[in-house]
Amino acid sequence: AKPEALKIMISGAPASGKGTQCELITKKYGLVHIAAGDLLRAEVSAGSENGKRAKEYMEKGKLVPNEIVVMMVKDRLLQHDSQENGWLLDGYPRSSSQATALEGFGFRPDLFILLEVPEEILVERVVGRRLDPVTGRIYHLKYSPPETEEIAARLTQRFDDTEEKVKLRLRTHHQNVEAVLSMYEDIMIKVDGNVSKEDVFAQIDGALTMLLEIKKATTGSV
Ligand code: AP5
């Protein structure tokens, strides 16, 4: 692996902007984006046994059982590109048992980013979210509208992006978040997620630039 390959975790409530920031981070830093929710949705689309089981939990806004999620994330982290270029783990771990499992496999991040957004903003973000199935990009009808008519016409919505379901996801988030945060307190930065996506990224970018400088200095590479 490159000595300066970064290992980053990003966390925050549903619709706090994790996926949006991951697009910006990977573009600049070339990290491999590993999103637990995306891996699960791929299983659901493929119609696999795991996908069928996962969907039952996702529709209720509950955590998918560890026996499905843990190995899926571990296998992705072990792939060559993640090891070589560094990784950006999004939406994992979501419980202390997931965090412990990851530690057990020897994965410890350099930095844990927590996006903070007031709860009343989150529902509006979810309901207006749209996805481009061609590019994978995340849009919002009001805050990040599609650039062209052509893109607008093909946008899709996630099956769990309703007001009712995001409230269930929020409840699950509140039940689990403290246990996860307590395991990463020493490497955590809190980021104000209630500003424009560019301004959120500026805060993250500053922290990552500093981290890279430190890594380069300690590994001796320039
Ligand atoms: P997952 O897919 O991870 O969903 P989530 O945590 O609910 O988060 P979201 O993807 O909804 O939001 P985001 O923070 O990425 O926000 P985004 O950038 O899109 O998980 C889904 C389900 O899978 C879970 O409920 C669970 O069942 C299961 N699961 C996942 N991980 C698991 C695990 N580890 N263990 C067990 N089960 C697991 O932004 C949202 C919207 O806001 C967009 O429209 C965007 O354009 C807009 N927006 C973003 N930033 C801004 C900004 N600064 N200003 C204005 N608008 C903005």
Side-chain angles (χ1 to χ4, degrees), residues 12-21 36-38 40-41 57-58 61-64 69 90-94 98 125-126 128-130 138-140 143-144 158 160-161 169 193 195-197 200:
S16 55
K18 301 181 292 292
T20 299
Q21 293 306 316
D38 289 348
L40 287 167
R41 279 184 289 278
Y57 291 85
M58 295 168 83
K62 289 188 174 168
L63 293 185
V64 172
V69 179
D90 164 5
Y92 187 103
R94 288 197 199 218
Q98 290 183 0
R125 283 199 185 175
V126 158
R129 171 166 47 194
R130 296 293 183 276
I138 304 164
Y139 291 94
H140 190 283
Y143 301 118
S144 194
R158 257 167 59 175
D160 56 351
D161 271 357
R169 274 150 62 198
V195 288
S196 74
K197 67 176 182 183
V200 178

Side-chain angles (χ1 to χ4, degrees), residues 40-51:
L40 287 167
R41 279 184 289 278
E43 288 291 324
V44 173
S45 301
S48 68
E49 277 312 308
N50 276 346

